[in-house]
Amino acid sequence: MSPPFAHAKITLGCPLYAADFDPENHGFLLVGGGGGEGRSGTLLNTSKKHEVSEVVDIDLSRDEDSVTSLAYAQSTELWATAFAGINSSMREQEQGRNEHLRSFLLEYPPRRRITAGEADAAPEEPSGHKGQTKALGRVSYFTSTAKSKPETFQRVIRLSKRRKENGPRLGAIATGLAPEGEVVVFAADTSSPSVKDIRGRIRLGHKEEAADVDVIGVSDNKEDEANFQIAYCTDYDIFVTKCNYHYNRSENLDPQCIHSNPFPDVFASSKARPKFRSLRFLTPTILLILQNVPNGAGSEILLMETTGRILLSKRLHKKIKSGIALSVAALPFTSPSAKARKQLQHAIAVAGADISITVLTLDHPLVAPYANLQFRPHLFLPSVHPTSITSLTFSSHNPPSTLWTQTPPQYLKLASTSIANTCIVHTLPLTSYPPPKKGPDTTANYVLTIPGAKSNITQTTFSVLAALIAIAIGAFFLQAFTEIRGASPDMIGAKGWLNERLHGWLARPYMFEDAIPTASSSVQSVAQTPLSMASGAFETAIESFYAAVGEAEETISTTSEKIQEDAQTPFSVASEAAETPIEAFYGAMGEAGAKASEARGKVSEVGESAKASAGKVSETGRKASETAEATAEKLGLRDILRQRNTGSDTSDLGNDGKEVIVHHTPEEDGESSLSAEKHDSETLAEKHSHAKRWEDMGRREREAWKRRLLDAGEWAVDEGESVLKGVFFSGLGAAVGAAVGG
C-alpha cells in the first residue's frame, strides 16, 4: 500500500549519516556519509514531490574520513555555506592533528520557479547544469591529549536559528567515542571558523559523552540577542547552561543538571535505567526529550521545562522498541480566541529502530502558563527504509508574505537517510489557520494539523465505537419489541418491564405457541380413534349375520317350490316314483337344515367377533376416558379457566367439584415452570397443605404470582383478576419471600 503522503526516494553510492535542509528554501537538501576513508557529500534537489535529483557533489579528499554531521550556516539564492564533521586522514591524526570541523561553499544552479501544477506532475529529467563546491576552512575545536584516540569523531553539530536581521548565532559540537567527552560552543555567523570563534567549552567526565546538544537564543530583543542557552544530555542526565556571544573565551562553562533518571528500587529485578537519546529546544524555557525505556521495552517523549519539571510525556507506538533520531519544526500561528495569543505548533518526528517514522504535533503558547498540552498523533510510517535510519530532519517553514489568495499550497518536508544509501523525502501538506475572514488582502498562517481538531486515529476509533454502540442499542430495542409483541420467545424479560396497563395494551403471548396441538384436541383425537374402529367392526358383523339368514331363507323357498311341482305329476308316474318326492323333500330339508346350521354358525362367529370388538371398544373407551381425565387435570391454567368460565368442558371437568391449583416447580438447570392441576378437596389438603386461594394472598404475593403468570403466558392483564378467584397457588416460596422482603 502506498504511503498516505507524497514521497520521493533516491539511492546514492554510499551509506548516509547526516542531512539538513536549506533554512531558506526546502527545495535543497544537503546529505553526507561514506564508509571508512571513502566519503561523499551531495546537494539534492527536493523541489518536486515525486523526484529527488543530485545537484552538487562536494569535492572531498579520498584520504579523509566520512561525513558524520553537517548543518547549513548561511544561505542565499545563489550560494550557501555549510559546516560538516569530517575526520582528518589517519596520517594527520597520528601527528596529533584532527581538523574535524570543515566549512564549504556550495554554488547553486540557476533556479526555476516550480509551480503547484509542476510539483504534482510526473517527474521530469533533472537539469544538466551541475553546481560547484569549494572548501573554505578547517579547524580542530576538541582538546587534543595523550589519551585521544583515532576513533574520536564529531558526533553532532547544532546551530541556533538564524534571525531575520542576521544577528549573532552560536553553534555547538560534541565528541563521539572520546575517552573524555567534550562540548564546544563557537560563533556560527562565519564562513570559515577558527579557534578565536570559540565561546565556551564543557568538559565531561571519564567515558561520558553527550548524546545530543542544542542551542537557542534567549530572546529576539536587541538587548538579549547575544544571550543563548545550551542544553545537552548524557545517558542519564540533562544539563542546561547559558552563554554570551561576545564572550571570547575558551574556559569551561558552568552547566547545571536539571534532571536525572533515578536508580530503580533495590528490590527491582532489573537495575537498568531509561536512557536519553536526543533533545531539542522548543522555546527558551521548554525542552523536548527522546528517552528509551530499558531492555528495549519502548520509547517515549518528554516535555520538560528548563527548571527540570516534566510537563507532559507520551509513550510511542508499541512497535518502536527504541528511538534513534528526533527532529522538530516550528509553525507559528495566532489563536482565534478573544485574547488572540501568539502560539506555536511544533511538528515532531521520531525515527524508531524498527525503521518507522512517527509524526506528532504539539500546540502551546510562547510563554507560560502552559495549559491543556497534548501530543497529537498525525502520521505513522512503517518500514520507511530497508535498514536502520541514521538521520531525520524537517525543512524550515517561512510563512509567506503574499496575500492568502495568491499563495500557492504550502508544504513541510521531512527527510530521512539510512545506511542502505537511501534518502527519502516526504511532503506533508499544511493548512491555513485560522482561515482568513477579513477579506482577500490578508495573509495567513499555516499548520500541520488544525489546533483542537481530533486526529485521524481518534476520529476513526470514535466512529467505530459509536457505530457498535448504535448497533447494540438497536438490536436490544428490537429484541425487546419482538418479545413484547410475541414475535420471539422471552430472552431478556422485556414483558416484565411494563406496568399492568401498558402490558395489557401491548403485550401478546408468543404467537408460535398456537402451532402446537393443545391437550384437549389431543385427548379428543385419541378417544375418537378406538371408538371409530369399534363401530366399524360391529357394523361389519351385523351385515355378515343378515347375509347368512337371507341365504338360508332362499334355500328353503327353492325346496318348497320343487315339492309342489312334483305333486302335480300323473299318478302313474307318481306311483312309480312314489318314493322320489319324499326322498327329494327330505333331502332338500336336510340341505336347508345344513345351510341354516351353517348360517347359525356364522352368526355365532359374527356375534363372538362383535362381542370381542365391543370389549375392545369398551376397554379403549375406558382408557381414552382415563387419558382424557388425566390430561384434563394437567391442562394449562388458561385452558382450565376457559373451560370453567365458558362451560366448554364437555367431559364435565369444569363442574366436577374439583379445585384448581397452580404449582411452581423449580428445574435442575436453575429455571422454573408452572403447572395447573385439578384435585378434590382431600387430595389438595394432603399434597398442597400450604396452598392459598387467590383471595387469601397478600398484595405482594399476588404481584409476584401475576409476574410469573405473565412470563409463562398463562394470564394477561386485560383478563382481570376475577378469573383467578377460587384458584389455589403453591410452590413459589423463594420468589414470594424475596418479594415480601423487598
Side-chain angles (χ1 to χ4, degrees), residues 664 705 730-738:
H664 166 249
W705 274 108
S730 174
L732 194 63
V736 173

Side-chain angles (χ1 to χ4, degrees), residues 210-339:
D212 200 3
V213 63
D214 200 15
V215 185
I216 191 171
V218 172
S219 175
D220 290 335
N221 298 330
K222 282 288 185 179
E223 298 79 9
D224 297 327
E225 66 177 5
N227 295 323
F228 293 85
Q229 285 206 116
I230 295 93
Y232 68 94
C233 64
T234 61
D235 286 344
Y236 306 112
D237 303 299
I238 297 175
F239 296 87
V240 174
T241 186
K242 295 181 179 181
C243 184
N244 190 283
Y245 176 83
H246 299 297
Y247 290 171
N248 188 1
R249 61 181 184 179
S250 59
E251 63 265 20
N252 295 339
L253 298 176
D254 185 20
Q256 293 182 350
C257 180
I258 62 171
H259 183 81
S260 296
N261 281 330
F263 287 92
D265 189 85
V266 293
F267 300 104
S269 58
S270 175
K271 304 301 181 182
R273 291 189 287 170
K275 289 186 177 182
F276 298 118
R277 181 64 180 84
S278 186
L279 59 77
R280 293 290 188 277
F281 273 111
L282 300 186
T283 68
T285 58
I286 299 180
L287 283 168
L288 180 71
I289 302 164
L290 175 62
Q291 175 179 264
N292 293 324
V293 181
N295 304 319
S299 183
E300 60 184 357
I301 51 177
L302 308 175
L303 192 65
M304 182 184 299
E305 288 185 309
T306 52
T307 59
R309 184 170 70 99
I310 297 178
L311 300 175
L312 186 65
S313 66
K314 179 178 178 60
R315 180 67 67 93
L316 298 180
H317 197 282
K318 61 182 180 180
K319 292 184 178 180
I320 301 177
K321 303 304 180 183
S322 63
I324 57 178
L326 174 69
S327 183
V328 297
L331 302 170
F333 67 93
T334 302
S335 173
S337 63
K339 296 182 179 180

Side-chain angles (χ1 to χ4, degrees), residues 59-117:
D59 187 14
L60 300 177
S61 172
R62 291 287 179 180
D63 297 332
E64 296 182 333
D65 205 351
S66 58
V67 179
T68 58
S69 60
L70 55 82
Y72 266 94
Q74 299 178 20
S75 174
T76 67
E77 292 186 356
L78 300 178
W79 55 268
T81 58
F83 296 142
I86 304 173
N87 276 0
S88 298
S89 64
M90 292 296 297
R91 186 182 62 181
E92 292 181 352
Q93 292 189 49
E94 290 174 356
Q95 296 175 359
R97 297 195 313 271
N98 182 13
E99 297 172 321
H100 52 81
L101 181 60
R102 312 292 178 89
S103 62
F104 298 90
L105 175 67
L106 309 175
E107 180 186 346
Y108 284 167
R111 297 191 181 185
R112 182 171 61 91
R113 182 178 298 276
I114 301 296
T115 64

Side-chain angles (χ1 to χ4, degrees), residues 83 101 103 137-141 169-173 184-201 243-250:
F83 296 142
L101 181 60
S103 62
R138 58 174 62 191
V139 67
S140 176
Y141 279 165
R169 298 179 68 192
L170 287 184
I173 57 175
V184 179
V185 182
F186 64 97
D189 52 357
T190 178
S191 58
S192 180
S194 61
V195 176
K196 66 179 182 180
D197 294 320
I198 295 178
R199 296 295 184 265
R201 190 184 300 272
C243 184
N244 190 283
Y245 176 83
H246 299 297
Y247 290 171
N248 188 1
R249 61 181 184 179
S250 59

